[in-house]
Amino acid sequence: MRPQSRSEEHVGEWKVTLWADTPEGLFVEAARVLARQCGPLPGGEAPDEWERIEVAAADFPSLLADWLNELLGRSEIGARAYGEVRNLRLDDGARLQAEVRGRPVREWRSSLKAATYHGLELGRSGPRWKAVVLFDV
Amino acid sequence: MQRDDLIRVASCVYEVPQSFRADMLAPARVYADEELLGAMLQGEAMHQLLNVATLPGVTQCVYGMPDMHEGYGFPVGGVAATRMPHGVVSPGGVGFDINCGVRLLTTPLPRKELGDLTPLVHELSRSIPAGAGKEGPLELAPAELDGVLEQGSPYLVREKGLGLPQDLDHTESGGCLPAANPGQVSERAKLRGHGQLGTMGSGNHFVEVQLVEKLYDAPAAASMGLEEGRLTVLIHTGSRGLGHQVCTDYVRLMDSRLLTYGITLPDRQLSCAPADSPEGRAYLSAMAAAANFAWCNRQLITDRVRRVLTRLFPSLRPEEVRLVYDVAHNIAKLEEHGGERVCVHRKGATRAFGPGHPELPPTYRETGQPVFIPGSMGTGSYVMAGMGTSEQRSWGSACHGAGRSLSRTAAKKQVTGAQLRRELEAGGIVVRCPSNQGLAEEAPFAYKDVERVAEVVECAGLARRVARLRPLGVIKG
């Protein structure tokens, strides 16, 4: 099945639920969701070169928040959306390696400051994998 | 949590005793009336305030301001103090937008003689980059960025000529926390902040042109330079990407050290370390640097506002665009209260020192510290003055706004940005906002009633009303 995401009600911040068939798929979907927040991409412009990323965290759920914060920081510095991910590998439950590719954003629109550890969830949900992340807006 | 779990201890004061939860180290008090209390009990805000009461070293009482609402870790509108030197400091108790704050400028310009304000609002929106990207008006070399981080507003005013010396007297802490150490700020944080000085950012940040509509306390208003019918400018922004990254870095670091310090928390976003530990000291130095960046951000925007006003109104002199005060509402500060040295965390809460406090400039020694409570872009804002009783009742704090009552999604379901723009303009408010979606998210009905919030602040003895401001022009990111 295709990965999915849904915004949840939160009075002050942005809470999003993600689903995918595999944990790797969940991390890729999280990157896509974050990239969509950055703003519109100009048509016809070549993407950047692939960049290698490694993230290590205290545990599996915080790996997702740390992965998102890694992408968020890179995005803001370069005004780029990192929605393309390949060769994503999860090791030891709290370590990630991947290649990401950014595209310049035409008009930067993201108001996200960071992914938080508050209410962070990541685990199996029936046959799929599910995560809940709260971003500070 | 139910209404019955709170005890009414005085008018506008409700308490959850320490015995309510075994892990609480202090009672929790909220300042509210029945309606505001009802709003607080929806969602997680109260639960989050009780979580704050579990922080090691927390002392006396934790407080929820009248605008308190659900956040992450700390609630927005939460105040807590920890005993120094061994009590903890929590980056989540400050938030990602370190030293997000508000400053108010007054002018002698009479509204009735100005006519259409569209050109003014348009010029301000052109001069103050609003979006979330990096379009700042000041290119800083690395050494200059370190100057900003280490010295704060005095660096911009004295070294760069971007402001007036009197601006510094009217900025909380003179616009500089001396503990700042740029070496404790990561390269990524510096890269995120580079090019963002002098920018507003998006979300609920704004620059608003306002009219002084009503005075409640004429002598206090006079001390602040507020006259009925005159134009003011309110600026709300913070430390931009630099502060966001400092918080991200230190929440992560402290989360990884919790076991080392034997700290157990009900919410990982409250991650913390003893203030006198290497991690605690490093955070306080980095946070101070980010706070200095935020003061410089608002100072640079002030300079832009002055340039626009003096260009459009040539008889106006720069010094007539007077800074009333600049207050932080996301910060942790080392303060003395009742002879005790504490670290006061104000997350979505404003310092509100009363008359006579030694940290206030001579202008406000008799009046008390100016406190600003922005309502929403369609309603109004209050200027208040800190009361001496706030010292005992809230660690010298008051609320920072009206507080959200609706989620951004819910707001967008009720109005489109285009509709809202038309409604505001029909009400005589000039709007400049590049994003219709962003505008709808900040719709006036998404906020609590600012009148009610200001009344409770006064009833609770935190700050008293001085003047009411009405929006005439809104610039948003």
Side-chain angles (χ1 to χ4, degrees):
Chain A
M1 289 172 70
R2 283 167 60 90
Q4 292 171 296
S5 63
R6 183 178 72 200
S7 292
E8 309 289 349
E9 280 297 300
H10 191 284
V11 74
E13 317 301 346
W14 185 48
K15 190 175 180 179
V16 60
T17 303
L18 308 157
W19 293 269
D21 290 341
T22 62
E24 289 82 2
L26 209 53
F27 279 74
V28 173
E29 177 63 5
R32 272 200 290 261
V33 163
L34 185 63
R36 281 203 297 268
Q37 296 293 314
C38 293
L41 305 176
E45 202 159 319
D48 301 341
E49 296 293 312
W50 288 97
E51 298 170 47
R52 193 169 174 75
I53 291 187
E54 286 190 27
V55 182
D59 53 47
F60 196 34
S62 52
L63 184 62
L64 180 62
D66 292 351
W67 158 247
L68 286 165
N69 282 330
E70 172 65 32
L71 295 175
L72 204 151
R74 278 177 190 248
S75 291
E76 190 171 305
I77 289 165
R80 276 162 158 69
Y82 287 90
E84 293 175 72
V85 183
R86 73 180 186 189
N87 299 327
L88 187 141
R89 213 175 80 198
L90 299 169
D91 298 322
D92 305 327
R95 202 176 167 78
L96 175 156
Q97 293 183 347
E99 290 176 283
V100 298
R101 187 157 72 170
R103 286 177 188 267
V105 175
R106 193 170 64 222
E107 186 190 340
W108 185 262
R109 284 196 188 152
S110 174
S111 55
L112 302 181
K113 295 170 188 159
T116 72
Y117 294 148
H118 174 73
L120 185 62
E121 294 176 28
L122 201 169
R124 283 192 174 279
S125 172
R128 307 197 82 195
W129 283 77
K130 178 187 168 191
V132 180
V133 189
L134 182 76
F135 289 89
D136 183 11
V137 179
Chain B
M1 165 160 262
Q2 308 292 319
R3 167 67 186 81
D4 291 348
D5 295 324
L6 289 109
I7 302 158
R8 185 178 182 276
V9 292
S11 180
C12 302
V13 189
Y14 298 84
E15 182 172 303
V16 180
Q18 186 182 334
S19 58
F20 182 77
R21 249 172 56 181
D23 58 349
M24 284 170 65
L25 303 172
R29 280 191 175 189
V30 295
Y31 297 106
D33 60 12
E34 284 291 338
E35 188 167 323
L36 292 173
L37 187 62
M40 289 175 187
L41 287 167
Q42 292 168 12
E44 283 190 71
M46 282 300 305
H47 179 68
Q48 290 176 345
L49 188 65
L50 303 194
N51 288 346
V52 172
T54 71
L55 288 174
V58 74
T59 180
Q60 289 186 27
C61 201
V62 298
Y63 299 100
M65 298 295 110
D67 59 337
M68 186 174 81
H69 64 80
E70 180 179 352
Y72 47 84
F74 266 62
V76 179
V79 177
T82 49
R83 266 182 233 104
M84 292 294 99
H86 306 308
V88 298
V89 60
S90 170
V94 172
F96 287 93
D97 198 357
I98 295 166
N99 188 7
C100 187
V102 177
R103 66 166 54 186
L104 179 69
L105 309 174
T106 57
T107 78
L109 297 169
R111 169 68 187 101
K112 61 185 178 189
E113 291 173 23
L114 298 179
D116 181 13
L117 291 178
T118 306
L120 169 61
V121 177
H122 180 70
E123 285 304 312
L124 287 173
S125 76
R126 284 185 47 182
S127 297
I128 304 161
K134 42 177 63 193
E135 315 149 318
L138 193 62
E139 270 293 317
L140 290 173
E144 292 175 312
L145 179 58
D146 282 355
V148 163
L149 296 175
E150 201 165 343
Q151 299 172 47
S153 295
Y155 178 79
L156 282 195
V157 172
R158 291 174 191 152
E159 305 285 328
K160 300 285 176 190
L162 295 164
L164 305 170
Q166 52 267 41
D167 294 345
L168 303 177
D169 291 336
H170 286 192
T171 303
E172 181 176 332
S173 298
C176 176
L177 292 185
N181 179 356
Q184 299 295 354
V185 176
S186 69
E187 280 310 305
R188 168 156 289 186
K190 290 177 182 175
L191 285 170
R192 280 181 77 172
H194 180 75
Q196 291 187 335
L197 204 65
T199 67
M200 191 166 43
S202 56
N204 62 356
H205 293 160
F206 61 79
V207 172
E208 212 169 87
V209 178
Q210 305 165 318
L211 168 76
V212 182
E213 187 176 55
K214 183 179 177 180
L215 301 183
Y216 292 81
D217 180 335
S223 77
M224 296 182 192
L226 294 166
E227 275 185 61
E228 257 180 27
R230 307 285 167 158
L231 228 59
T232 61
V233 179
L234 192 66
I235 299 164
H236 175 211
T237 187
S239 50
R240 312 286 284 105
L242 185 138
H244 308 166
Q245 188 64 42
V246 166
C247 184
T248 298
D249 293 340
Y250 282 93
V251 166
R252 190 178 185 208
L253 173 68
M254 290 188 183
D255 180 68
S256 72
R257 299 284 197 276
L258 289 174
L259 280 178
T260 310
Y261 294 110
I263 296 171
T264 309
L265 296 169
D267 184 336
R268 287 177 67 187
Q269 197 63 32
L270 291 173
S271 76
C272 55
D276 60 350
S277 68
E279 296 83 3
R281 285 197 302 270
Y283 171 69
L284 284 168
S285 298
M287 184 214 67
N292 292 346
F293 185 89
W295 274 312
C296 285
N297 193 29
R298 295 194 286 277
Q299 183 62 39
L300 186 51
I301 291 174
T302 301
D303 179 70
R304 298 283 128 174
V305 171
R306 280 199 178 109
R307 284 170 195 264
V308 169
L309 286 168
T310 49
R311 181 154 46 85
L312 293 185
F313 306 103
S315 64
L316 188 67
R317 287 175 285 120
E319 60 271 25
E320 290 181 301
V321 182
R322 184 172 171 270
L323 174 57
V324 177
Y325 207 65
D326 177 307
V327 277
H329 56 228
N330 280 353
I331 205 158
K333 294 183 88 176
L334 302 178
E335 294 174 359
E336 296 277 345
H337 288 271
E340 194 177 16
R341 184 95 168 138
V342 292
C343 178
V344 182
H345 297 71
R346 297 188 179 95
K347 171 77 199 309
T350 296
R351 199 185 74 174
F353 286 164
H357 197 286
E359 283 202 30
L360 296 183
T363 331
Y364 301 128
R365 282 277 164 80
E366 284 186 26
T367 309
Q369 182 207 299
V371 170
F372 310 120
I373 305 187
S376 73
M377 60 178 138
T379 52
S381 303
Y382 276 94
V383 179
M384 304 186 81
M387 292 166 71
T389 39
S390 73
E391 182 91 358
Q392 293 81 41
R393 296 181 186 175
S394 59
W395 298 112
S397 313
C399 69
H400 84 313
R404 285 195 79 95
S405 60
L406 274 187
S407 71
R408 291 174 171 85
T409 313
K412 284 186 288 188
K413 280 180 186 163
Q414 292 191 27
V415 72
T416 67
Q419 264 178 315
L420 182 61
R421 198 182 292 266
R422 282 195 298 274
E423 284 172 21
L424 290 169
E425 286 178 351
I429 300 168
V430 183
V431 180
R432 286 289 179 277
C433 177
S435 159
N436 269 339
Q437 184 174 307
L439 191 67
E441 287 175 354
E442 296 298 316
F445 56 76
Y447 285 84
K448 291 173 193 160
D449 177 8
V450 69
E451 312 283 339
R452 182 179 288 275
V453 169
E455 274 171 28
V456 170
V457 169
E458 194 164 301
C459 161
L462 309 183
R464 66 184 198 283
R465 280 170 290 191
V466 172
R468 190 180 194 283
L469 311 174
R470 177 159 63 83
L472 299 171
V474 177
I475 300 149
K476 293 193 68 67

